[in-house]
Coordinates of all heavy atoms in Angstrom, one line a residue:
G402 N -17.8 -87.4 -9.1 CA -17.8 -86.7 -10.4 C -17.9 -85.2 -10.1 O -18.6 -84.7 -9.4
F403 N -16.9 -84.4 -10.7 CA -16.7 -83.0 -10.4 C -16.7 -82.2 -11.8 O -16.1 -81.1 -11.8 CB -15.4 -82.7 -9.6 CG -15.5 -81.8 -8.4 CD1 -15.8 -82.2 -7.2 CD2 -15.2 -80.5 -8.7 CE1 -15.8 -81.2 -6.3 CE2 -15.2 -79.6 -7.8 CZ -15.6 -79.9 -6.4
T404 N -17.3 -82.7 -12.7 CA -17.5 -81.8 -13.9 C -18.6 -80.8 -13.8 O -19.4 -80.9 -12.9 CB -17.8 -82.7 -15.2 OG1 -19.1 -83.3 -15.0 CG2 -16.8 -84.0 -15.2
P405 N -18.6 -79.9 -14.7 CA -19.7 -78.9 -14.6 C -21.1 -79.5 -14.5 O -22.0 -78.8 -13.9 CB -19.6 -77.9 -15.8 CG -18.1 -78.2 -16.1 CD -17.7 -79.6 -15.8
I406 N -21.3 -80.7 -15.1 CA -22.7 -81.2 -15.1 C -22.8 -82.3 -14.1 O -24.0 -82.9 -13.9 CB -23.0 -81.9 -16.6 CG1 -22.1 -83.1 -16.8 CG2 -23.0 -80.8 -17.7 CD1 -22.4 -83.9 -18.0
S407 N -21.9 -82.5 -13.3 CA -21.9 -83.5 -12.2 C -22.9 -83.2 -11.0 O -22.9 -82.0 -10.8 CB -20.6 -83.8 -11.7 OG -19.6 -84.4 -12.7
M408 N -23.3 -84.1 -10.4 CA -24.5 -83.9 -9.4 C -23.9 -83.2 -8.2 O -24.5 -82.4 -7.6 CB -25.2 -85.2 -9.1 CG -25.9 -85.7 -10.2 SD -27.1 -84.6 -11.0 CE -28.1 -84.0 -9.6
Y409 N -22.6 -83.7 -7.8 CA -22.0 -83.0 -6.6 C -22.0 -81.4 -6.5 O -22.6 -80.8 -5.8 CB -20.8 -83.7 -6.3 CG -20.2 -83.2 -4.9 CD1 -20.6 -84.0 -3.7 CD2 -19.2 -82.2 -4.8 CE1 -20.1 -83.4 -2.4 CE2 -18.7 -81.8 -3.6 CZ -19.1 -82.4 -2.4 OH -18.6 -82.0 -1.3
P410 N -21.4 -80.9 -7.6 CA -21.3 -79.3 -7.6 C -22.7 -78.8 -7.7 O -23.0 -77.7 -7.3 CB -20.4 -79.1 -9.0 CG -19.6 -80.2 -9.0 CD -20.5 -81.5 -8.7
R411 N -23.5 -79.6 -8.6 CA -24.9 -79.0 -8.7 C -25.8 -78.9 -7.4 O -26.4 -77.9 -7.3 CB -25.7 -79.8 -9.8 CG -25.2 -79.5 -11.1 CD -26.0 -80.4 -12.2 NE -27.5 -80.1 -12.2 CZ -28.3 -80.8 -12.6 NH1 -28.2 -82.0 -13.2 NH2 -29.7 -80.4 -12.6
M412 N -25.5 -79.9 -6.7 CA -26.3 -79.9 -5.3 C -25.9 -78.8 -4.4 O -26.6 -78.3 -3.7 CB -26.1 -81.3 -4.6 CG -27.0 -82.4 -5.4 SD -26.9 -83.9 -4.3 CE -25.2 -84.5 -4.7
W413 N -24.4 -78.5 -4.6 CA -24.0 -77.5 -3.6 C -24.2 -76.3 -4.2 O -24.5 -75.3 -3.4 CB -22.4 -77.8 -3.4 CG -22.2 -78.7 -2.2 CD1 -21.7 -80.0 -2.3 CD2 -22.4 -78.4 -0.9 NE1 -21.7 -80.5 -1.2 CE2 -22.2 -79.7 -0.1 CE3 -23.0 -77.4 -0.1 CZ2 -22.3 -79.8 1.2 CZ3 -23.2 -77.5 1.2 CH2 -22.8 -78.7 1.8
R414 N -24.3 -76.0 -5.6 CA -24.7 -74.7 -6.1 C -26.1 -74.4 -5.6 O -26.5 -73.2 -5.2 CB -24.7 -74.9 -7.5 CG -25.0 -73.5 -8.2 CD -24.6 -73.4 -9.7 NE -25.2 -74.4 -10.4 CZ -24.8 -75.5 -11.1 NH1 -23.4 -75.6 -11.0 NH2 -25.5 -76.3 -11.8
E415 N -27.0 -75.3 -5.6 CA -28.4 -75.1 -5.2 C -28.4 -74.9 -3.6 O -29.4 -74.2 -3.1 CB -29.3 -76.4 -5.5 CG -30.7 -76.1 -5.2 CD -31.3 -75.2 -6.1 OE1 -30.7 -74.9 -7.3 OE2 -32.5 -74.6 -5.8
T416 N -27.4 -75.3 -2.9 CA -27.4 -75.1 -1.4 C -26.7 -73.7 -1.2 O -26.8 -73.3 0.1 CB -26.5 -76.2 -0.8 OG1 -27.1 -77.4 -1.3 CG2 -26.7 -76.3 0.7
G417 N -26.1 -73.2 -2.2 CA -25.5 -71.9 -1.9 C -24.1 -71.7 -2.1 O -23.5 -70.6 -1.8
V418 N -23.5 -72.8 -2.4 CA -22.0 -72.8 -2.6 C -21.6 -73.0 -4.1 O -21.8 -74.1 -4.5 CB -21.3 -73.9 -1.7 CG1 -19.8 -73.9 -1.8 CG2 -21.7 -73.8 -0.2
G419 N -21.1 -72.1 -4.7 CA -20.9 -72.0 -6.2 C -19.7 -72.9 -6.4 O -18.9 -73.3 -5.4
Y420 N -19.4 -73.2 -7.7 CA -18.3 -74.1 -8.0 C -16.9 -73.5 -7.5 O -16.1 -74.4 -6.9 CB -18.2 -74.3 -9.5 CG -17.4 -75.5 -10.1 CD1 -18.0 -76.7 -10.2 CD2 -16.1 -75.3 -10.3 CE1 -17.2 -77.8 -10.6 CE2 -15.2 -76.4 -10.7 CZ -15.9 -77.6 -10.8 OH -15.1 -78.7 -11.2
A421 N -16.7 -72.3 -7.8 CA -15.3 -71.7 -7.4 C -15.1 -71.7 -5.9 O -14.1 -72.1 -5.4 CB -15.1 -70.3 -7.9
E422 N -16.2 -71.4 -5.2 CA -16.1 -71.5 -3.7 C -16.0 -72.9 -3.2 O -15.2 -73.2 -2.3 CB -17.5 -70.9 -3.0 CG -17.4 -70.8 -1.6 CD -18.7 -70.4 -0.9 OE1 -19.5 -69.8 -1.6 OE2 -18.8 -70.5 0.4

Side-chain angles (χ1 to χ4, degrees):
F403 218 91
T404 68
I406 65 170
S407 297
M408 296 308 301
Y409 185 85
R411 289 182 59 194
M412 288 186 287
W413 276 108
R414 185 167 63 243
E415 188 68 24
T416 311
V418 180
Y420 195 93
E422 182 186 349

